[in-house]
Amino acid sequence: MQRQLTRDVRAGYRVVGVCVPGLHPVHGDRRGCRPGNIQPPEDPALPVLGDATAVRAAILTTGADTVVVSNTEHLGPGALA
């Protein structure tokens, strides 16, 4: 998704971080991931800001004005309210 959003710079998107279900930042390693079989983002400079429960904190931390949410079984119907 990051690649799609940044493909055309004229669109004005700049990805500032990601929250990935099951992917947690490891202290000192912005790409660290736990548990083992979940892949970190392709871009090593892109910070992992937490899992799906960390979206609100990530918005406050980064000052993001737009959030993209993709399909995930970790978010229930009321999670984005």
Side-chain angles (χ1 to χ4, degrees):
M1 187 168 297
Q2 183 258 345
R3 211 174 340 164
Q4 292 291 344
L5 289 171
T6 58
R7 180 172 289 172
D8 183 0
V9 294
R10 294 173 294 167
Y13 294 111
R14 183 175 60 90
V15 179
V16 296
V18 295
C19 292
V20 181
L23 188 63
H24 307 280
V26 175
H27 183 68
D29 179 4
R30 296 171 85 175
R31 284 192 44 162
C33 80
R34 295 179 186 154
N37 62 352
I38 296 181
Q39 296 299 313
E42 290 179 16
D43 182 350
L46 191 61
V48 176
L49 301 171
D51 64 6
T53 64
V55 173
R56 189 178 308 243
I59 293 167
L60 295 173
T61 299
T62 63
D65 61 7
T66 303
V67 176
V68 175
V69 178
S70 66
N71 186 20
T72 177
E73 62 195 42
H74 294 45
L75 294 176
L80 297 177

